[in-house]
Amino acid sequence: LFISLITIALNLPIISTVGQLTSTLAAVVIVAAVIILPIINYYRKLYGNQGYLTMTLPASGRQLYWSRFWTGVFWFLIAVGSAFIIAGLFSLTTDISEGRQLFTGIRGAWQAFLATNAPFYVRLLPVAAILLGIFSTVTQYAFVITKGSEARFHGMGRLGGPVIVYIITYLLSQAASIIGLLLIPLGVRFSLGSDGETLTGIQWVAESSWVSLRDSILGIEKSTFTLGLGFVLTLVVLYTVYIFLTIRSIERHTSLR
């Protein structure tokens, strides 16, 4: 990765292009590996060959689950941090190759973020989205692997059960998101200027996305749009249920092959 970034910074014909391709592939592999690692470890520690040793430990199913959960959260935070670091390195090499002052790209992105004049809590939404994404992903893969590894699925092979459970959880997540987005009266209203593009105001409202979606379908033009946030509540409830069912399965239905 670093050698490829150096070739980009030198801005050499052909070599620089190859460096861009190589560094992009390397970045994707690094982040993907950090994400996949905790998923593989969860299976190995609880349902692979190491599962026999894990199940002999003087620990309850709840304790085993939370130890794996926080390990997964830790690795996903590393993945997020790695993505930001790699993005920063790409920005720096672009500055060097174009003869600009270092950190020009990073400062530009930060200034553009601050120039939105959005309330402080709105600027925290990307952070909240990342944390919710980590929580939902770790919770979901733990539930999929645990439920899919129960004895009832052994006849489908190692992947058959988890694949079926994943499809079910995916459909449930989509349904919960749609219900929360359109039916729960909680959201953020964005107001646009006369040009229809300039953001002029942001405020919390007791309103879902249903009205804005309906107006959009009917072709009614309005200067406001509400992004429903009720899906956050429905997803948190759904994934909390997954946690309960996962712990219950570990304690009562663990069946190693």
Side-chain angles (χ1 to χ4, degrees):
L1 173 62
F2 292 103
I3 294 176
S4 300
L5 290 174
I6 291 174
T7 61
I8 297 175
L10 293 176
N11 199 23
L12 299 175
I14 301 178
I15 296 178
S16 179
T17 302
V18 174
Q20 290 179 349
L21 177 61
T22 305
S23 58
T24 300
L25 291 175
V28 171
V29 170
I30 291 173
V31 175
V34 176
I35 291 176
I36 294 174
L37 182 62
I39 299 176
I40 295 175
N41 281 339
Y42 183 90
Y43 178 83
R44 286 180 175 176
K45 295 291 185 180
L46 294 180
Y47 302 102
N49 292 332
Q50 298 179 36
Y52 293 97
L53 175 61
T54 301
M55 294 305 168
T56 62
L57 298 175
S60 64
R62 184 181 303 274
Q63 292 172 323
L64 292 175
Y65 173 81
W66 287 115
S67 68
R68 294 292 93 204
F69 175 87
W70 290 115
T71 299
V73 170
F74 172 75
W75 280 106
F76 272 82
L77 288 174
I78 290 179
V80 173
S82 300
F84 277 107
I85 292 174
I86 292 172
L89 291 175
F90 271 108
S91 178
L92 288 176
T93 54
T94 301
D95 292 338
I96 295 173
S97 65
E98 296 181 0
R100 301 182 304 192
Q101 185 178 0
L102 290 180
F103 303 104
T104 297
I106 296 176
R107 283 200 303 270
W110 179 249
Q111 290 171 357
F113 176 71
L114 296 179
T116 58
N117 295 322
F120 178 73
Y121 61 82
V122 174
R123 294 175 181 173
L124 291 179
L125 287 180
V127 177
I130 291 174
L131 295 178
L132 177 63
I134 293 175
F135 169 75
S136 61
T137 302
V138 175
T139 302
Q140 185 175 20
Y141 79 63
F143 177 75
V144 167
I145 294 174
T146 295
K147 294 297 290 185
S149 298
E150 290 182 358
R152 72 185 79 179
F153 296 113
H154 282 186
M156 299 180 182
R158 293 185 180 275
L159 295 178
V163 168
I164 291 175
V165 177
Y166 173 76
I167 293 174
I168 295 173
T169 58
Y170 175 80
L171 295 176
L172 289 175
S173 298
Q174 296 304 307
S177 297
I178 294 174
I179 291 172
L181 187 70
L182 300 180
L183 299 182
I184 295 181
L186 174 66
V188 177
R189 177 180 294 164
F190 298 89
S191 300
L192 302 177
S194 56
D195 59 359
E197 297 180 358
T198 305
L199 185 64
T200 58
I202 302 175
Q203 63 181 127
W204 290 102
V205 292
E207 184 179 309
S208 69
S209 289
W210 168 247
V211 175
S212 296
L213 178 62
R214 182 196 62 191
D215 292 343
S216 178
I217 294 175
L218 296 177
I220 301 175
E221 295 185 2
K222 299 182 67 175
S223 60
T224 62
F225 175 82
T226 300
L227 173 63
L229 297 178
F231 71 91
V232 175
L233 300 179
T234 54
L235 287 179
V236 168
V237 171
L238 177 63
Y239 290 120
T240 300
V241 173
Y242 285 168
I243 292 174
F244 171 78
L245 293 177
T246 303
I247 293 174
R248 185 172 181 270
S249 178
I250 292 174
E251 293 181 339
R252 302 183 183 183
H253 303 290
T254 296
S255 177
L256 302 180
R257 299 174 187 272

